[in-house]
Amino acid sequence: MEQPSAKLTTSPTLADQAYVLLRRQIAEGELSAGQRVTERGLATQLGVSPTPVREAIRRLEHERLLERLDGRSLTVAQPSVHRLYELNLIEAALSGVAARLAAESATDRELAAIRDVHERASRSLPSAQTVEDGIEVLRLARQTHQLVYEASHNPQLIDMIATAGAFDWRIRVESVRRLGATYPSKAGLAHHSSIVAALEARDSSLAESLMRDHVASAAHQHLDVVAEDEFLEGSQ
């Protein structure tokens, strides 16, 4: 019998936990675009009954992260370039709001953590020689974003950003793999430096503007790079 790959607890609800975990698996590529899944298979994977998984599936379908292309078979969404562009606009706007709230509400400890991760990414960049090194820098940059979002102290907003950016990580990783040493990490980290400085200055308007522009411009670069990749073929 297949062993569950993750264990769920009793609080928050099993359905909430299943939803968050499945959304994360979609974002991380553990459930790949276009992959067919079943309610029972997902329940077995999570080690729970089908009931909470059924509720999680409903939420993921509502957010268009899971789709029933023929009315029955459940598959992980495989968005078109146009849809990814639209999601990026949403993510950029929400990320800007999160940065504004973080500038207003972040504790000194949270600001210190944001700067620490950003500086770790900056220190790692000069020695990044391989694709995996580049992905690690990207991971630290992503962690910087997540810490900013968490510093907004707005769980609903954080969830909305996670949904809008659910396909973002896979696209960025593919971009790193294809561009290699020419991947524009230096420019992205320069944007982060300005964002961190605005947060520390408690300049909420500037933090919002910088974050919104950063997320939008970075994603456009990634979409241009992967537009012809097999990940997107057949979905336009």
Side-chain angles (χ1 to χ4, degrees):
M1 178 178 177
E2 183 179 354
Q3 295 297 313
S5 62
K7 300 221 179 200
L8 304 185
T9 60
T10 57
S11 180
T13 68
L14 291 177
D16 285 341
Q17 292 177 77
Y19 162 74
V20 170
L21 184 55
L22 291 174
R23 185 182 63 188
R24 190 199 74 199
Q25 290 180 342
I26 292 171
E28 297 288 344
E30 295 174 37
L31 295 174
S32 58
Q35 178 180 340
R36 181 175 176 179
V37 296
T38 65
E39 180 183 296
R40 185 170 297 279
L42 293 175
T44 299
Q45 173 194 331
L46 299 182
V48 296
S49 70
T51 301
V53 171
R54 189 175 304 125
E55 183 176 335
I57 287 173
R58 288 196 194 100
R59 293 173 66 181
L60 293 166
E61 284 188 274
H62 178 71
E63 295 172 351
R64 297 177 63 192
L65 300 183
L66 291 178
E67 299 176 336
R68 296 185 189 274
L69 299 181
D70 60 3
R72 298 188 62 183
S73 298
L74 189 66
T75 61
V76 178
Q78 190 168 9
S80 66
V81 174
H82 181 68
R83 186 186 165 204
L84 289 170
Y85 168 74
E86 293 177 332
L87 287 171
N88 167 246
L89 292 180
I90 296 169
E91 182 186 3
L94 294 172
S95 297
V97 173
R100 169 179 282 274
L101 294 178
E104 297 172 353
S105 305
T107 66
D108 290 343
R109 178 174 293 184
E110 286 172 328
L111 291 177
I114 292 168
R115 175 162 288 283
D116 177 65
V117 174
H118 165 60
E119 290 182 348
R120 284 167 53 199
S122 298
R123 289 194 300 270
S124 299
L125 181 59
S127 61
Q129 300 293 326
T130 68
V131 167
E132 293 308 313
D133 291 339
I135 291 173
E136 180 56 26
V137 173
L138 186 64
R139 192 178 301 279
L140 289 169
R142 186 190 192 202
Q143 187 180 350
T144 303
H145 277 246
Q146 187 61 34
L147 289 174
V148 173
Y149 303 155
E150 291 172 2
S152 74
H153 299 284
N154 190 308
Q156 183 178 12
L157 178 60
I158 295 169
D159 276 346
M160 293 168 69
I161 294 171
T163 297
F167 302 103
D168 185 66
W169 176 248
R170 285 182 289 172
I171 291 172
R172 292 180 186 237
V173 168
E174 179 60 24
S175 184
V176 171
R177 294 192 185 284
R178 294 186 62 179
L179 287 178
T182 63
Y183 183 84
S185 293
K186 187 174 181 179
L189 292 179
H191 293 167
H192 281 194
S193 292
S194 299
I195 293 167
V196 172
L199 291 172
E200 292 174 334
R202 303 291 183 177
D203 190 333
S204 57
S205 295
L206 181 59
E208 178 176 10
S209 176
L210 290 172
M211 179 65 89
R212 182 182 62 245
D213 291 348
H214 164 62
V215 172
S217 63
H220 289 174
Q221 291 174 337
H222 299 310
L223 289 178
D224 287 344
V225 169
V226 302
E228 297 179 358
D229 191 78
E230 290 183 357
F231 171 70
L232 299 172
E233 287 182 359
S235 61
Q236 302 183 39

